[in-house]
Amino acid sequence: FRSYQIINSASTPVQPPTPGVVETKKELSHEKYIAKNEDGTYNLTLNVSGAVGSESYANKLDVLFVMDTSNSMMRKMNSKKDLNDYTTNENSRFFNQQKAVEAAVAKLKSRKNVDARFAVVSFDTEAGIETGWTNGTISYPTKVANYGNRNNTGGTNYQAGLRKADELLKKGRTNATKIVVFLSDGDPTLYYDTNYFGNEYVDGSGSGYDPDAMTKAQTQLETMSMNYFYTVGVGPEDSYKHLSSLINRAPSGTVTGSYNGTDSSNLKNAFDSIIRDATDLLCTEVTVTDTLTDEVELADQKLQVVVKDETGKVINKLKNTSGNEVDVSDIITTQTQEDSDGKTQIIMRFKSDYKLESGYTYYVTAKIRPTTKAYLKYQNQSYTDTGDENTDEYLGTDKKPGKD
């Protein structure tokens, strides 16, 4: 089968990034397949969703979490009180940071259209790699104050965390979308400097915001290559007043965002939003068009539309721009027509102001049959044509659209 055309108003060009300049392109997930009927006809199904990637051609994501292990992560989420059991206390910043990351990882791993790998960096006075790129078990920091000498562990060195992140980004998959999530409960207080002899050491105020530490971190960030960069504050907003300014020096073309995770709910919402950015392309003005070859024809003019959610449940109502639930037919219309070459087209058109719903897949099915030309071609020379990617015969529940 040949691929079909999708027109939408959000064709926002993700290419593998290069240092300093990043182009981010996302394409709607779509598949096309047929199923044979007992009467010799076939059901031809086209689908489209707001997801980036599909089950058979997954959206490759390399997701890197840069996690804060400074001393203040021992504190309660809503105060400056240290907690002795901060690693297990559900009120601590340390605990909530990890749970938010774990939940995001679990959500991405559960998505059928996502091929995700993960890595973890932790930082305080200096930084280290907790987990290199993996799609398996992830190791997280087990305590605060892991880096630096015995006199200055537990500080906040953004630059150190970003340096280690850069090491991992350079080892990521070249064809994967790179996402960096930088978490911290405080402003930068430390940075790397060089002495007269060219030896590097950790410098900075050590307590309170240090503008030089931010400048060093921003300088490090602008040399890195990723498609998405986010900052997520953990705890009271007044503890990280300057965190969001880190993104100001992200490479041109990088999608950026800043979130304040003042409590567990806000942390979850922050990660949900980040995941949507990378995995959904919620377009308006969507039209799906498939032009049949001269080797197939419509068996009848009936086109069936079905909408399903992520669990496979059929959705009978969609929300319009006013938020009211309406029949699917009020949002999606179908038609068949001939193009300028006289070839039959199948068209599924969405209402212009309708935005594709996250997690929904939209299907249109037509009944087709081979033409006399197709039968003659098969009899005379066998059938050797190969279809485009994401188009295939659907032979069973374990058979996914390929290009047979």
Side-chain angles (χ1 to χ4, degrees):
F1 278 116
R2 298 305 173 200
S3 58
Y4 54 98
Q5 182 180 23
I6 300 176
I7 301 172
N8 66 79
S9 64
S11 182
T12 52
V14 173
Q15 299 294 332
T18 55
V21 178
V22 176
E23 182 184 8
T24 300
K25 183 176 181 180
K26 293 163 65 173
E27 298 178 350
L28 286 172
S29 165
H30 61 280
E31 294 174 332
K32 172 182 176 179
Y33 51 87
I34 61 171
K36 190 174 183 179
N37 299 314
E38 292 182 357
D39 61 359
T41 64
Y42 295 82
N43 286 339
L44 168 65
T45 299
L46 319 173
N47 71 38
V48 64
S49 76
V52 180
S54 65
E55 290 186 46
S56 48
Y57 298 94
N59 179 23
K60 291 181 172 61
L61 303 180
D62 282 355
V63 186
L64 173 55
F65 301 99
V66 185
M67 301 174 67
D68 191 342
T69 52
S70 62
N71 288 324
S72 55
M73 293 296 289
M74 298 171 63
R75 296 174 180 173
K76 295 181 68 173
M77 283 291 288
N78 58 0
S79 77
K80 294 183 177 181
K81 180 182 178 181
D82 286 345
L83 297 169
N84 292 331
D85 59 345
Y86 67 92
T87 61
T88 57
N89 191 313
E90 63 182 16
N91 295 310
S92 80
R93 302 176 191 182
F94 186 93
F95 181 90
N96 278 277
Q97 172 184 236
Q98 180 164 327
K99 290 304 176 185
V101 172
E102 287 177 347
V105 168
K107 191 166 189 176
L108 283 169
K109 282 186 173 182
S110 71
R111 294 215 169 185
K112 295 179 180 179
N113 63 313
V114 171
D115 172 13
R117 295 197 316 169
F118 306 93
V120 176
V121 165
S122 62
F123 73 97
D124 44 82
T125 297
E126 296 191 67
I129 296 173
E130 300 285 347
T131 302
W133 293 115
T134 182
N135 58 6
T137 302
I138 299 172
S139 296
Y140 297 98
T142 57
K143 63 182 182 65
V144 301
N146 299 299
Y147 308 103
N149 62 49
R150 69 179 64 183
N151 297 318
N152 70 348
T153 57
T156 306
N157 188 339
Y158 285 9
Q159 181 190 11
L162 291 171
R163 269 194 188 181
K164 285 298 179 184
D166 193 29
E167 289 181 23
L168 285 167
L169 287 172
K170 290 173 179 175
K171 298 175 182 178
R173 293 174 292 181
T174 57
N175 60 345
T177 298
K178 308 295 192 300
I179 304 169
V180 178
V181 183
F182 187 94
L183 299 103
S184 184
D185 75 329
D187 288 325
T189 62
L190 299 172
Y191 59 94
Y192 290 115
D193 206 348
T194 306
N195 63 21
Y196 176 79
F197 301 101
N199 298 317
E200 192 173 72
Y201 65 100
V202 175
D203 198 0
S205 66
S207 63
Y209 173 62
D210 190 318
D212 290 336
M214 176 59 80
T215 299
K216 289 280 190 174
Q218 290 177 323
T219 300
Q220 173 63 49
L221 179 62
E222 67 184 359
T223 67
M224 295 165 58
S225 297
M226 67 234 116
N227 301 98
Y228 297 82
F229 182 81
Y230 301 94
T231 62
V232 179
V234 182
E237 292 181 38
D238 60 1
S239 297
Y240 46 87
K241 293 179 181 178
H242 302 275
L243 173 59
S244 61
S245 64
L246 181 60
I247 67 175
N248 295 341
R249 298 270 287 277
S252 175
T254 305
V255 177
T256 60
S258 294
Y259 299 91
N260 296 330
T262 54
D263 55 34
S264 59
S265 177
N266 285 335
L267 276 173
K268 177 184 179 300
N269 292 339
F271 279 101
D272 285 348
S273 180
I274 290 168
I275 290 171
R276 281 196 300 272
D277 276 359
T279 61
D280 292 338
L281 184 56
L282 306 184
C283 305
T284 56
E285 299 183 27
V286 176
T287 301
V288 177
T289 302
D290 184 45
T291 302
L292 302 181
T293 70
D294 55 7
E295 295 176 5
V296 294
E297 62 188 7
L298 291 174
D300 59 46
Q301 297 294 316
K302 298 176 183 178
L303 300 180
Q304 180 184 14
V305 173
V306 176
V307 181
K308 296 181 180 181
D309 66 12
E310 288 177 307
T311 69
K313 177 185 175 182
V314 174
I315 304 299
N316 296 311
K317 299 284 186 179
L318 298 173
K319 289 185 179 180
N320 60 20
T321 53
S322 301
N324 299 318
E325 289 191 340
V326 297
D327 291 338
V328 171
S329 58
D330 290 341
I331 300 294
I332 303 172
T333 57
T334 60
Q335 69 178 98
T336 60
Q337 66 180 29
E338 288 190 356
D339 67 7
S340 58
D341 296 324
K343 293 181 178 180
T344 300
Q345 292 184 318
I346 299 169
I347 300 173
M348 176 169 63
R349 183 175 287 110
F350 294 74
K351 197 171 181 180
S352 62
D353 57 1
Y354 176 75
K355 183 180 291 187
L356 296 187
E357 186 78 23
S358 177
Y360 283 13
T361 302
Y362 307 82
Y363 303 82
V364 58
T365 299
K367 184 174 287 190
I368 62 171
R369 61 190 171 211
T371 60
T372 301
K373 178 180 179 180
Y375 282 116
L376 291 174
K377 182 176 182 179
Y378 181 77
Q379 291 172 356
N380 295 333
Q381 63 185 69
S382 76
Y383 195 82
T384 58
D385 291 352
T386 299
D388 296 327
E389 291 188 348
N390 268 17
T391 69
D392 204 350
E393 183 179 5
Y394 193 81
L395 300 176
T397 56
D398 294 325
K399 174 74 172 176
K400 301 304 178 186
K403 54 179 183 179
D404 293 350

